[in-house]
Amino acid sequence: MRNRSALVIVDLQNDFCPKGALPVPGGDGIVPVVNRYLDLFMAAGVQVFFTRDWHPARTVHFKEFGGSWPPHCVQGTEGARFHPGVKMPADAVIITKGESPEGDSYSGFDGFDPVGLDFEASIKGRGITHIYLGGLAGDYCVKATALDGLGRGFKVTVLLDAIKGVDARPGDSERALEEMLAKGAETSTIDEIDFT
Ligand code: VGL
Ligand code: ZN
């Protein structure tokens, strides 16, 4: 049922796009299809969520402080803004994650909505049981969000044409997808989308 569904676009932010601080190769290539999904889901009355990676300048997530990554998506910077080509619906709900200086927070389920509800509470409160997932990076935050969603009993459909992986090791995206499928995720592309 379409109103038990949500479209969740993960971390489609400047720093994950070419020229950003932690670029996903071709990451901005998903923007046109994400806009098509937005049109389609909005027309069907489906609630849309955008997660954003939103780090303090000093966090154990960054290499300099013991983590894995160059500084990226620092709160309030241009790199942390959503890609300017995304047609963000006025009633989209933004889920903010990665604010703690003490953790990584890859999953959207580590994030909070604007009134401070965690993502699970925020979607459950809206009666949502099925999430359709797109965004960046396919082999990190999209994967983590999918696995958390499945683990919490949500139906998860990965939008294959609206994700893009880092592939730090060749094959990471492929393995991420296999793991999501093994845990029960379904997949779709824009031409196959069916809300019934
Ligand atoms: C992400 C690495 C570090 C992501 C966030 O959004 O996939 N990846 N922080
Ligand atoms: Zn991050």
Side-chain angles (χ1 to χ4, degrees):
M1 279 209 316
R2 64 191 186 187
N3 287 324
R4 302 206 137 229
S5 300
L7 175 61
V8 180
I9 303 298
V10 174
D11 299 5
L12 191 37
Q13 293 163 274
N14 289 326
D15 271 343
F16 295 122
C17 293
K19 292 188 191 150
L22 184 47
V24 177
D28 56 350
I30 67 170
V31 170
V33 73
V34 165
N35 285 333
R36 289 181 61 204
Y37 277 111
L38 287 167
D39 284 345
L40 211 62
F41 280 76
M42 291 293 290
V46 172
Q47 180 64 52
V48 176
F49 294 82
F50 281 82
T51 72
R52 64 175 178 182
D53 215 28
W54 195 249
H55 299 303
R58 174 183 262 277
T59 161
V60 299
H61 185 58
F62 295 163
K63 243 182 218 140
E64 199 186 339
F65 307 106
S68 308
W69 310 102
H72 62 275
C73 298
V74 173
Q75 296 164 8
T77 61
E78 185 60 28
R81 295 176 74 96
F82 291 109
H83 186 286
V86 178
K87 289 196 271 167
M88 171 99 48
D91 67 350
V93 176
I94 292 171
I95 302 293
T96 299
K97 67 182 176 67
E99 289 181 291
S100 164
E102 270 119 43
D104 288 304
S105 293
Y106 294 113
S107 169
F109 284 90
D110 290 340
F112 297 87
D113 77 6
V115 300
L117 287 177
D118 66 49
F119 182 48
E120 182 172 12
S122 192
I123 55 179
K124 274 199 174 145
R126 293 175 164 87
I128 288 161
T129 56
H130 184 173
I131 60 177
Y132 291 79
L133 269 185
L136 305 173
D139 42 358
Y140 288 94
C141 289
V142 173
K143 172 186 149 187
T145 305
L147 296 182
D148 269 354
L150 292 163
R152 290 161 200 240
F154 294 96
K155 189 169 173 188
V156 174
T157 300
V158 178
L159 302 172
L160 293 175
D161 44 2
I163 63 173
K164 192 79 178 64
V166 181
D167 282 317
R169 283 152 304 189
D172 277 356
S173 290
E174 206 47 51
R175 283 188 290 275
L177 185 60
E178 278 163 19
E179 199 176 334
M180 294 186 272
L181 293 174
K183 300 269 164 62
E186 298 186 3
T187 60
S188 185
T189 58
I190 192 130
D191 300 320
E192 299 167 345
I193 273 291
D194 179 9
F195 296 115
T196 54

